[in-house]
Amino acid sequence: MRVRLTAGALACVFAAGVVAMAESFASLLPPPPGAKVAIVVFQDLQWPDCAIAYPLLVEAARAHNVPLVVHDFPLPRHNWSFQAAVNARFFDQESPQLGDEFRGYILQNQKQIMDETALQRFTSEFAAERQVELPVVLDPDGKLAQMVTADFRLGQRIGLEHTPTVFVVSAGQQAYPMVETIDRQKLDRVIEELQKKAGPPVTAKRTLKKKKHS
């Protein structure tokens, strides 16, 4: 399946130097420990193109048995995306799988969320359905917000201005950007190429947990 992103969302990211940028900063986007290849995405939970891309990336990660590393890049002009990323970090603390489910849930219901009040309602409904007790304040010491900010600053170091921006990365410090389009066939080919170069995976003694922040 081929997903074309809007021209406005790509105006700055898909510049002439994007490939050189990816190569220059490949060391900033390593696969999680134990993984040789990974998909890395910088996303904004309020941006429609991220809602389109996320299920494709989840599906590709499962099909190729590679981690999907999610970095937060909430655009300043969006009124609830930063808080949504903080909320996702709260569920990450419960379990990485729950955090993934929350991101998918918010992206799926994105059009119904107009402000932080609506976001809180959807967050509460998500938690209730999964029997997770929400504290009165999700991030009392601000540590979750710091994680989100750290991801945003990482994206700025790489030169990102828009979302979603997707990379396929390898432990050999190679990074292939997927910016103009998220073409599932191309994504599959790049993953398979890097897996072939990386060689057979090392048998892990424990389940690999996905990295959720830098």
Side-chain angles (χ1 to χ4, degrees):
M1 181 176 181
R2 187 181 181 88
V3 178
R4 181 164 294 278
L5 306 183
T6 60
L10 300 167
C12 294
V13 179
F14 195 66
V18 69
V19 175
M21 170 270 290
E23 293 174 350
S24 299
F25 291 94
S27 61
L28 296 175
L29 304 173
K36 293 187 175 183
V37 176
I39 302 171
V40 177
V41 59
F42 286 80
Q43 69 177 13
D44 179 324
L45 293 173
Q46 194 172 343
W47 188 239
D49 288 332
C50 292
I52 297 171
Y54 189 67
L56 296 179
L57 299 176
V58 171
E59 182 182 311
R62 289 174 179 167
H64 294 280
N65 194 28
V66 298
L68 173 59
V69 182
V70 178
H71 289 289
D72 295 304
F73 199 74
L75 300 175
R77 67 177 179 271
H78 289 158
N79 63 335
W80 55 262
S81 61
F82 187 93
Q83 186 60 50
V86 171
N87 293 1
R89 299 287 178 149
F90 169 81
F91 290 108
D92 283 340
Q93 294 181 133
E94 298 294 317
S95 76
Q97 180 180 348
L98 197 62
D100 289 344
E101 289 179 7
F102 178 77
R103 290 177 174 85
Y105 179 81
I106 293 300
L107 289 167
Q108 186 177 20
N109 292 282
Q110 192 182 73
K111 293 181 180 179
Q112 302 179 59
I113 304 174
M114 297 293 107
D115 52 30
E116 286 195 17
T117 299
L119 172 65
Q120 181 58 37
R121 177 166 58 84
F122 276 90
T123 301
S124 297
E125 290 175 358
F126 176 87
E129 289 173 1
R130 288 154 182 81
Q131 298 182 339
V132 175
E133 183 176 352
L134 291 181
V136 176
V137 180
L138 292 185
D139 188 23
D141 53 10
K143 290 183 178 179
L144 303 180
Q146 290 174 10
M147 293 177 184
V148 174
T149 299
D151 264 7
F152 185 81
R153 289 176 178 168
L154 173 62
Q156 288 181 313
R157 288 177 65 189
I158 294 173
L160 305 187
E161 295 185 24
H162 303 281
T163 60
T165 298
V166 179
F167 297 89
V168 182
V169 301
S170 76
Q173 294 192 353
Q174 290 180 288
Y176 288 79
M178 300 279 177
V179 183
E180 182 182 17
T181 60
I182 298 177
D183 184 327
R184 177 57 196 274
Q185 291 184 343
K186 180 180 179 182
L187 182 61
D188 289 339
R189 287 197 302 270
V190 171
I191 294 171
E192 290 166 3
E193 178 185 343
L194 288 184
Q195 286 180 320
K196 185 176 181 180
K197 289 181 180 179
V202 177
T203 302
K205 294 183 179 180
R206 60 185 178 85
T207 303
L208 177 66
K209 293 184 178 179
K210 298 176 191 173
K211 175 185 173 185
K212 288 298 178 185
H213 58 84
S214 56

